[in-house]
């Protein structure tokens, strides 16, 4: 079994997950009450146990923002929840190819 804890917003949240060391944590960049910005994500990542994989959660996000988070070393994986089409995903993969990051999309039923 793998465990992902999503929606970290505060240093205290990072302190708790560092004790449990789940497989993944999710930083939410979508329009919810758990949404964080670039600076918050950067700060949280600096305090996170290095063994924990950081997944960025996005809904129809500007691709440049995702690329910046990856190239700056904040994200390890990309999780898409919006209406991103195949062209968007192919372009994102192309722009991130040298970083070897996984991109996955949750399909709507």
């Amino acid at each position: 079994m793998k465990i992902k804890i999503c929606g970290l917003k505060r240093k205290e949240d990072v302190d708790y997950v560092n004790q449990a060391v789940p497989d993944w944590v999710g930083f939410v960049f979508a329009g919810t009450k758990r949404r964080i910005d670039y600076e918050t994500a950067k700060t949280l990542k600096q305090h996170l146990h290095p063994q924990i994989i950081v997944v960025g959660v996005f809904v129809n996000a500007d691709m440049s923002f995702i690329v910046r988070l990856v190239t700056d070393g904040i994200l390890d994986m990309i999780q898409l929840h919006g209406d991103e089409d195949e062209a968007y995903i192919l372009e994102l993969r192309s722009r991130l190819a040298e970083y070897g990051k996984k991109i996955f999309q949750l399909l709507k039923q």
Side-chain angles (χ1 to χ4, degrees):
M1 179 184 318
K2 299 279 186 178
I3 297 174
K4 177 180 169 210
I5 299 174
C6 218
L8 282 67
K9 290 181 70 167
R10 308 166 302 153
K11 169 84 169 55
E12 295 84 357
D13 300 332
V14 171
D15 293 340
Y16 290 127
V17 297
N18 282 343
Q19 291 175 24
V21 190
D23 300 288
W24 304 289
V25 295
F27 290 174
V28 178
F29 298 97
T32 70
K33 64 182 179 179
R34 297 181 293 162
R35 180 185 187 119
I36 61 173
D37 60 18
Y38 175 90
E39 289 302 323
T40 301
K42 182 178 178 181
T43 299
L44 295 178
K45 172 72 174 194
Q46 291 170 347
H47 295 286
L48 194 64
H49 188 291
Q51 183 178 332
I52 301 172
I53 295 168
V54 179
V55 179
V57 180
F58 301 92
V59 174
N60 302 326
D62 180 289
M63 194 179 303
S64 298
F65 182 59
I66 297 173
V67 170
R68 180 178 178 212
L69 288 161
V70 170
T71 59
D72 289 352
I74 297 170
L75 299 181
D76 302 306
M77 295 177 73
I78 312 301
Q79 181 177 335
L80 305 173
H81 279 272
D83 300 312
E84 299 88 355
D85 61 12
E86 185 176 354
Y88 179 97
I89 294 169
L90 289 173
E91 175 67 19
L92 184 59
R93 280 194 176 127
S94 174
R95 291 176 68 178
L96 297 177
E98 68 185 273
Y99 298 94
K101 304 302 181 189
K102 292 186 180 179
I103 300 169
F104 59 98
Q105 182 180 35
L106 296 182
L107 301 176
K108 296 179 176 143
Q109 300 295 328

